[in-house]
Every structure is written in C-alpha cells, then in structure tokens.
Amino acid sequence: MAPARLELPVLQNWSCHNCGGCCRQHLIEVTEKERQRILTQNWSAADGVNQLVMTWHAGPPWRKRYRLTHTADGGCVFLDDQGLCRIHAKFGEAAKPLPCRIYPFAFHPSGKTFRVSLRFSCPSVVANQGKPTTQRARELRGLAEELALPDTSTLAPPLLTRRDRLDWGDLLPFVEALDHTLADPASPLVVKLLRAITWTTLVGQSSFEKLRGPRIREFLGLLMEAARIEVPALPVAVDEPSQLSRLYFRTLVAQYARKDTVADLSSGFWGRWRLFRAIVQFTRGKGEIPPLQTGLKPVPFAALEHPFGPLTPEMESILTRYFRVKIQGMHFCGSGYYDIPFVEGFHSLVLILPVTLWLARWIAVSGGRDQLSVEDFSTALAMADHNHGYSPAFAQYAARSRVRWLAEAGDLSRLCLWYAC
Ligand code: SF4
C-alpha cells in the first residue's frame, strides 16, 4: 500500500518541553509486542522501576488490553524525578510505545489525504512553542506508517447533517468555509464564531438531496454572506442564556472538568460515589462547586457568573489557532470526533469557548483572583481539550442531545457572549 499523504497544520508550532504532563494525564495502552519489548529491557529497582508492576491488563480476560502502570503520585511508572521518560533516556525515543510518540498529534482522513491535528491538552501546543509542525513532515510520515493508516479509498466522509451524507468533494468545501469564517482578521473571534454558528445552523436545517458540485460553493457563499449581515459586530446587550440551557451547560462542563486517570478522584467505589454527588451538585448549580481535580477549589457557583472582562488579544489568538487547527485537522467530526456529523461536531467544538472561560474563571477564583490571566486561560483550555473528542461521555446520547438542544434554542451563541464579553 502506498504511504498515506499527509496535510500538516501550517498555524501550529510544537516541540516537547518535557513537562511530563502527558505522562500523568493519559492512560497508555500498549500492544503485546510493546509489552514484550518493555519486559526485555530488564528494568529493576536500581532504575527506579518496579518490574513486577510495569503494565496491567484492562478489559475482560478474553480481550486483554495492556496499559502502562501509574504510580501513587499519578505519573507513568517510567516517569523519573526530573519529569523525563526512563525508556527514552535509556533506549532512545524509538523504544517508547507508539501512543507516547504520537502524542500530541492525531491523524484524520480527508478524501485522498490524512490531515494532522494536535491535542491542546499539551501546554506546549497551547503556547505554540517549538518547531513549526510543517518541519516535522518526515517524522509524521514515519508515525503514520507505524500506525498503518487505512487506505483512504475505503473511508467514508463524515455525515454533513444527521440526514445527509455528501462525497468528500462536496463535503470539504464546508470545512474550508468554516476555516475561512474563522480566518477573517478584521472581526473579533466571538463575532466569527457567531457567524459560523448562524450559517452551520442553516446548513442543519437544509436538505442537500439535489445540491451538488459547484452549486455547493455558491450556496455556501450565500450562507456566509447572510451570516455576516445577521452578525455585523458584537451585540451591545447580551441576553442571559435560559435556566435550562445553563443547567445543560453545567452538566457538560462537569464532564470537561473530570480527569479519569488511575490516581484520580473518580477511581474506586468511593471515587465513583464522589463523582456522582459532584454531578448532582453541578446540576443544581447552587452552593459550592465540587473540585473535580487537583488545583480546583470549592468556590461558589455564583462567583463565576459576574463579568470577568472581554478576551484579551492573546487569548483571542490562542483560541483562534485552536479552532483553526481543529477545523483544518478534521478534529471535530467524523472519525476525528466520535463519528458525529459536521454540523453537530462544529456546535460541540464551539462550546469549548464558554467551557474554557468557565473553567478559567474557576481556576482564577480558586487562586483568589477576579480577573483572568493568560495562564488561567491556557490551563483551562488544556483541561477542556484533554476530554474533547476523547472522553466517552461526549459520544453518549445524553451529551449529544444537550449540545443539539443548546444549538436549537440559540443558546450556543448566548453562552459564547455571556462568558466572553
Ligand atoms: S505534555 Fe507536551 S510538553 Fe509535556 S511532556 Fe507531554 S508532549 Fe512534552
């Protein structure tokens, strides 16, 4: 099979800065071959590794899946005191399991190519630190080969809406149109998102039975123009989202604020019980917010609802890059996001704006501040993106129907305005 052709994100830089964050946040699944390789590396207590508990198996006995063990402090068993990987230090990068080498990249089909996206759960991705991703073509091609990406001709495009599936040639103009909407340098990010919500909602209400080929681009041009007229600038007054929308939103935020790793608050029976009680508190939205991970404190829900000021230019720039990398990388629909259709996937992606700002307010108030710093904001974005597209909760009917409800009620736009202005 010919090697997969890759499209790399031009907006994003990245190099690992060895913070060790991914080695704490992610459960790494290893193949039997990788497990055997680790076993033959002869780890011992002298290396700081207990060789009896390097991997554990999850899942039923007839479908064993092995994972790297985490120690009591939450880090991978191979993470050393300096935050470096012991396998990497002793045997070189190629000796590490494939998921550790792929992170923070993700590959998604797009017609005849695969598009490369990045996970913003890595702080170096959020900060845009390191080498331009376009200079990693060789390395990424090597990883794609090891991943054995399927033949693109066998992969169906994502649904456009729940009713319509177009072929790749007709679907990709919608992706380009979204990126184009977000690229406008003359408008604030919130205005661009409101326009994108407006025209994608109209797409969701349209039928594409007879619309194909060049007429799709014409139709998109009309929709985008209509959205520009509908949303010329930030509205002067901001409507409060409805009580029901805020309840749905808090329930979604609770899922984004979770961190389900081995040593986390949600592990074991009591962990599950605590989590259940926390979800009930999020649903009520009264009293104090139950801290779902370390660093977050029990502050009153009400403390996050007063205005924290508009997005700073630096926050705008981080979020614009975030949305464009996810859109260009097809990291919001189809195989990049639980096989969810284009329109619904974009509406889920938009929620990252209010979710990040809500979490950033929580972090700021936890630290005794009433204004957001870029650090609060960046930490919140990394927290939200850790789960977006990866937590099974967002693929479930309940979460999907909440996003659809928010979109149909017009509250996606209201939530963006409420938390960003
Ligand atoms: S989270 Fe990012 S910067 Fe930190 S160790 Fe992992 S890849 Fe490197």
Side-chain angles (χ1 to χ4, degrees):
M1 197 171 75
R5 277 177 46 215
L6 301 182
E7 290 182 65
L8 308 181
V10 290
L11 299 167
Q12 184 67 49
N13 301 334
W14 176 78
S15 296
C16 176
H17 290 80
N18 298 322
C19 70
C22 54
C23 316
R24 294 178 186 281
Q25 309 187 65
H26 295 282
L27 296 175
I28 299 297
E29 200 157 313
V30 290
T31 61
E32 179 56 25
K33 199 169 153 200
E34 286 170 334
R35 191 175 80 98
Q36 289 303 331
R37 188 169 73 213
I38 288 169
L39 290 176
T40 54
Q41 286 168 348
N42 289 325
W43 294 99
S44 69
D47 300 302
V49 177
N50 179 350
Q51 57 173 324
L52 299 176
V53 293
M54 293 187 298
T55 60
W56 58 287
H57 65 83
W62 60 91
R63 211 165 60 81
K64 277 185 186 171
R65 294 177 299 136
Y66 288 96
R67 285 178 172 164
L68 296 183
T69 305
H70 282 236
T71 55
D73 73 352
C76 168
V77 70
F78 291 109
L79 187 65
D80 72 13
D81 295 341
Q82 280 78 50
L84 301 174
C85 172
R86 290 184 169 98
I87 303 181
H88 191 144
K90 204 165 169 186
F91 299 100
E93 188 176 8
K96 292 199 291 188
L98 186 56
C100 305
R101 286 181 285 135
I102 288 177
Y103 184 84
F105 293 104
F107 300 80
H108 306 121
S110 166
K112 294 193 169 85
T113 62
F114 279 86
R115 297 193 184 193
V116 180
S117 177
L118 288 100
R119 296 185 64 172
F120 280 62
S121 47
C122 165
S124 297
V125 176
V126 176
N128 206 23
Q129 280 180 328
K131 199 155 111 174
T133 310
T134 43
Q135 290 177 15
R136 295 188 175 275
R138 215 166 127 210
E139 173 195 339
L140 287 164
R141 271 200 299 271
L143 289 171
E145 224 163 278
E146 280 192 66
L147 261 178
L149 295 172
D151 181 354
T152 45
S153 65
T154 63
L155 300 170
L159 285 164
L160 176 68
T161 64
R162 280 193 286 162
R163 290 178 310 275
D164 293 295
R165 190 189 294 279
L166 309 179
D167 60 26
W168 280 111
D170 285 339
L171 178 84
L172 291 176
F174 287 86
V175 180
E176 276 167 38
L178 263 190
D179 188 45
H180 186 78
T181 307
L182 271 288
D184 173 8
S187 305
L189 174 66
V190 178
V191 169
K192 294 188 275 192
L193 286 176
L194 261 46
R195 287 176 187 155
I197 293 169
T198 303
W199 72 252
T200 51
T201 302
L202 290 171
V203 168
Q205 292 161 355
S206 310
S207 166
F208 290 83
E209 245 174 70
K210 298 207 174 113
L211 208 58
R212 290 291 185 275
R215 291 184 60 206
I216 296 253
R217 286 188 191 274
E218 258 171 61
F219 176 70
L220 277 168
L222 291 174
L223 285 185
M224 286 158 71
E225 188 49 34
R228 282 186 81 87
I229 294 167
E230 175 87 16
V231 189
L234 280 175
V236 182
V238 177
D239 289 342
E240 203 170 323
S242 72
Q243 286 303 320
L244 185 57
S245 291
R246 294 173 81 160
L247 184 155
Y248 283 169
F249 175 68
R250 282 195 309 273
T251 318
L252 289 164
V253 170
Q255 300 289 357
Y256 280 105
R258 285 173 60 172
K259 191 170 273 184
D260 296 339
T261 47
V262 183
D264 192 69
L265 301 167
S266 63
S267 59
F269 173 78
W270 290 112
R272 296 272 149 209
W273 173 245
R274 268 197 302 270
L275 193 59
F276 172 73
R277 289 193 44 184
I279 301 288
V280 172
Q281 279 168 271
F282 266 88
T283 310
R284 289 181 61 236
K286 292 201 163 64
E288 290 195 327
I289 312 173
L292 287 168
Q293 50 178 292
T294 29
L296 295 171
K297 295 199 177 137
V299 304
F301 279 98
L304 311 192
E305 298 302 326
H306 72 84
F308 274 63
L311 289 173
T312 64
E314 199 171 350
M315 293 175 195
E316 282 241 354
S317 146
I318 295 172
L319 262 185
T320 305
R321 177 164 45 80
Y322 172 83
F323 284 119
R324 294 194 64 201
V325 166
K326 296 288 171 177
I327 290 165
Q328 291 177 359
M330 298 292 287
H331 208 162
F332 68 101
C333 63
S335 64
Y337 194 75
Y338 314 111
D339 279 324
I340 282 176
F342 169 92
V343 170
E344 191 185 330
F346 176 65
H347 291 166
S348 302
L349 183 66
V350 165
L351 274 170
I352 286 291
L353 172 84
V355 166
T356 298
L357 289 166
W358 198 95
L359 292 173
R361 288 175 179 199
W362 190 2
I363 295 166
V365 176
S366 296
R369 298 179 294 282
D370 62 1
Q371 294 291 316
L372 299 187
S373 67
V374 174
E375 287 71 36
D376 298 331
F377 175 83
S378 300
T379 307
L381 179 59
M383 201 184 278
D385 198 59
H386 173 74
N387 284 315
H388 190 78
Y390 294 91
S391 162
F394 295 116
Q396 286 171 4
Y397 175 81
R400 290 186 59 181
S401 59
R402 281 176 201 128
V403 174
R404 283 202 291 267
W405 198 93
L406 291 173
E408 280 159 23
D411 277 334
L412 279 182
S413 302
R414 279 187 209 107
L415 285 165
C416 288
L417 287 164
W418 185 253
Y419 287 106
C421 297

